[in-house]
Amino acid sequence: MERTEIVLEGRKGEIQLFSDDHKAGKMDISVIGKKLTVYHTEVNPEYEGKGFAKILLERLVSHARENDLKIVPLCPYVYAQFKRHPEEYNDVWMKEEL
């Protein structure tokens, strides 16, 4: 069974994904004010192809919505998902102005 945990120490932390009590993946994040920045998504090789990155993304987005945060997607995976499905993520996507 999969579960997620958000671990923040100060401004930096991780969203951790566990499968049967083994750490299967994580997202590196920071929260400053109302801005949640996601830097990196990683799923351990033995868990790849099982949709775990999507589970992490869903937890990231739900955390942002629950806490009225905007996401800065520096992580290539998250950015690609936001670009692919803007209607799903527009409410939490902080688009950087040029």
Side-chain angles (χ1 to χ4, degrees):
M1 171 150 188
E2 288 74 50
R3 67 180 168 81
T4 58
E5 291 180 13
I6 296 178
V7 179
L8 282 172
E9 295 177 15
R11 295 179 174 171
K12 294 192 175 218
E14 295 180 340
I15 298 176
Q16 301 173 346
L17 173 64
F18 295 88
S19 179
D20 297 323
D21 292 324
H22 295 94
K23 190 172 177 183
K26 68 180 180 107
M27 281 183 161
D28 296 325
I29 63 170
S30 69
V31 178
I32 300 172
K34 291 292 184 180
K35 182 166 70 170
L36 189 166
T37 304
V38 55
Y39 302 97
H40 178 70
T41 301
E42 181 177 318
V43 174
N44 295 340
E46 62 268 28
Y47 297 102
E48 288 178 356
K50 298 182 179 188
F52 284 7
K54 180 72 172 172
I55 292 170
L56 284 164
L57 176 62
E58 289 170 358
R59 184 63 184 108
L60 173 80
V61 170
S62 68
H63 180 73
R65 287 179 176 141
E66 290 164 9
N67 293 281
D68 195 30
L69 302 172
K70 294 291 187 180
I71 299 171
V72 178
L74 298 183
C75 166
Y77 169 74
V78 175
Y79 182 74
Q81 292 301 314
F82 279 22
K83 289 280 283 185
R84 208 170 284 142
H85 307 284
E87 68 288 343
E88 195 172 335
Y89 302 114
N90 269 339
D91 65 318
V92 294
W93 184 4
M94 178 179 277
K95 297 178 182 168
E96 295 295 321
E97 301 292 323
L98 295 178

